[in-house]
Each structure stands twice: as C-alpha cells, then as structure tokens.
Amino acid sequence: MSEIVLKVDGMSCNHCKMAVEKAAKAINGVENATVNLEQKEVVVTGSVPKEEIVKAIEEAGYDVIG
C-alpha cells in the first residue's frame, strides 16, 4: 500500500473537501482519502496509480497541481 500526496486547487470549503474525498474514495483500490483544506492537498492511501486519482479529482471539477 502506498501513500500519494497531491496538491489540489479550487477547494475552498467543506463541500469541496467532501467532493474531493468522495471522488478519490470511489476508485477501486483506494483505502482512504483525506483532504487538508489549509494546505490544499489530499493524501490518498491504497494501491492505485497516481494518474487514476488525478483523473477522478479533475473530473470532479478540481485542478491537481504538480
């Protein structure tokens, strides 16, 4: 199991936090996803390629930076 930390732009409230966590957790193989709004990042644990997580977050309407 690995941990992936991604910077996410466009999150400003608790609804955004929940939307990003829900998008990441919906991916098969993701164990957990936790958003830190102040640092604008999401920590995803599981065995999923980074590209899949980025795609899911971007499809939810948020921008993954770097």
Side-chain angles (χ1 to χ4, degrees), residues 15-34:
H15 173 76
C16 299
K17 173 185 185 291
M18 290 172 30
V20 170
E21 287 176 352
K22 182 179 177 184
K25 288 178 181 175
I27 301 168
N28 195 19
V30 169
E31 299 273 325
N32 196 22
T34 307

Side-chain angles (χ1 to χ4, degrees), residues 11 19 21 25 27 30 32 42 44 48 51 53 58-59 64:
M11 298 186 300
E21 287 176 352
K25 288 178 181 175
I27 301 168
V30 169
N32 196 22
V42 60
V44 180
V48 176
E51 296 76 28
I53 300 165
E58 289 181 343
E59 285 177 353
V64 178

Side-chain angles (χ1 to χ4, degrees), residues 1-50:
M1 184 166 67
S2 63
E3 182 176 280
I4 298 171
V5 180
L6 299 170
K7 288 280 188 187
V8 181
D9 196 27
M11 298 186 300
S12 60
C13 63
N14 206 40
H15 173 76
C16 299
K17 173 185 185 291
M18 290 172 30
V20 170
E21 287 176 352
K22 182 179 177 184
K25 288 178 181 175
I27 301 168
N28 195 19
V30 169
E31 299 273 325
N32 196 22
T34 307
V35 167
N36 181 324
L37 269 179
E38 288 178 9
Q39 296 186 1
K40 295 189 181 289
E41 55 184 33
V42 60
V43 179
V44 180
T45 53
S47 51
V48 176
K50 178 180 173 180

